[in-house]
Each structure stands twice: as C-alpha cells, then as structure tokens.
Amino acid sequence: MAVHEHPRRSSGFHLPSLRKNRDASASESAGVGTYTARAYAFASLRLLTGFVFLWAFLDKTFGFGYATPSGKGWIDGGSPTKGFLGSVAVGPMESTFHSWAGDPWADWLFMLGLLGIGLALVGGVALRIAAVAGTAMMALMWIAEWPPAKHVSDGSPSMSTNPFVDYHVIYAVALIVVAAVAAGDTLGAGRFWAKLPFVRDHSWLR
C-alpha cells in the first residue's frame, strides 16, 4: 500500500518581515530627508536673493557707502536711477534710459520695486508677483547694460564677458524658480499667506 504525504497547509499567520519593514522605513526616511534638503535649499536661495534686493534698497536709500556713497542716499536728495541710467552707453534704449534718468517717477518705481520684491522674498509671500516684477526689472537692467554688444557707443570695449547670460538673467531665473516651487513654505510665511481668504480666491497672489 502506497503512502501519500499530504502537503502541509499554511496556517495563514506570518511573522512580519523585519527586513522589509526596515527597507521601507529607510526608503521613507531617505525620501523625507531629500524633500527636506530640497525645501531648505530653495528657501536659502529665496532668502539670499531677497537680501540682494532689500540691501540694494537700503544702500540706495541711506547711502551706506557701498554702491551708494555716504551722503548721496535717496534721503539726502540723491537719485537712485540717475547714475545708472544716465551712464548707459550701449543698447537700443540708450536715449530712452537717458531721458528717464533721475525722474521722480523712475526713482519711486525703482525703489518701491526693490523694497517690495525684497520684502516678498524674505517673507516668503506673494512670490508670483515678485517673480513677475523682478523679472521685468532685471530685463530692463539687462537691456541697459546690453551684454551682446562688444563695444559701447563711443567705440570703446564694452567689457561684456558673455553675449547673453549675466547676473540679471540669473536673478530673474532664481525669482521664477522660488515662485514655482513655493519656496516661501519653508523658513517663511508662505503657508500662512496661502490660507488667507483673498489669496485662496486669487491664486496669482501666492
């Protein structure tokens, strides 16, 4: 008589796999760590870029002796735009910029732009508006320096080091990036700002 062995049935109860749990936990931790590092990196970019704009406003207002000599700040009667726009010597808008140089409307618009963009970036709020305004400002300043030109209007070398990319382009891209990734949510008031009713109803204010 043949004896047949019946296969043992599984009890249906399995001990949890410690290795799988460990691997999952490690993967989750790595994902969280990567997200956190990315968030802080973008927040740092936002804060540093914001400081560039905010410092430019403060130096031009009070004349700290860096780009603006002491005693020639805006509060001392100096013009924030006259020196830069008045010295434009290249590009398709040379004469236009000369006509704008030192005009009160140009001074106020430029300074309010610097202050508004700087505060928005440092605070982490209204980043989309700051990106649009800042990109427009950087575009005008790029045209004023006109990197494509090898020579200025009097024939002397322009000292341009690149026909397209200069620091104005980099700042504009940085503004767009921090707005696109909502960099104000980390080390900023971005989350609080986004919950405000008027911001919730108008996403372009984010």
Side-chain angles (χ1 to χ4, degrees):
M1 183 176 65
V3 179
H4 299 281
E5 292 185 1
H6 296 283
R8 294 182 181 179
R9 293 182 179 179
S10 172
S11 64
F13 175 77
H14 300 282
L15 290 173
S17 172
L18 296 180
R19 180 171 182 177
K20 287 183 179 179
N21 289 343
R22 258 197 322 268
D23 291 345
S25 297
S27 177
E28 290 176 4
S29 297
V32 171
T34 301
Y35 172 80
T36 302
R38 187 184 302 120
Y40 278 103
F42 284 128
S44 299
L45 176 63
R46 170 180 59 81
L47 290 169
L48 291 172
T49 307
F51 182 73
V52 169
F53 283 87
L54 198 55
W55 177 260
F57 169 81
L58 294 172
D59 184 56
K60 291 179 183 300
T61 300
F62 301 104
F64 290 148
Y66 288 86
T68 305
S70 299
K72 293 189 177 181
W74 198 22
I75 62 170
D76 301 311
S79 170
T81 63
K82 188 173 183 178
F84 177 70
L85 294 181
S87 62
V88 172
V90 67
M93 294 183 64
E94 180 180 348
S95 59
T96 301
F97 286 135
H98 287 174
S99 67
W100 291 355
D103 280 357
W105 70 266
D107 289 343
W108 276 96
L109 191 61
F110 179 59
M111 295 299 281
L112 288 176
L114 289 177
L115 178 62
I117 295 166
L119 290 177
L121 290 173
V122 171
V125 300
L127 296 182
R128 294 179 181 179
I129 299 174
V132 172
T135 299
M137 180 184 290
M138 292 299 103
L140 286 171
M141 296 179 75
W142 185 88
I143 293 173
E145 295 195 0
W146 200 245
K150 294 181 179 180
H151 300 87
V152 296
S153 53
D154 66 359
S156 60
S158 68
M159 306 303 291
S160 175
T161 59
N162 189 297
F164 177 69
V165 179
D166 70 350
Y167 64 98
H168 298 111
V169 176
I170 301 301
Y171 286 150
V173 172
L175 288 166
I176 294 169
V177 168
V178 298
V181 301
D185 292 354
T186 303
L187 299 178
R191 294 183 189 279
F192 171 78
W193 176 259
K195 292 178 181 177
L196 295 176
F198 65 92
V199 177
R200 243 187 357 249
D201 295 340
H202 304 86
S203 59
W204 59 271
L205 292 172
R206 286 289 305 273

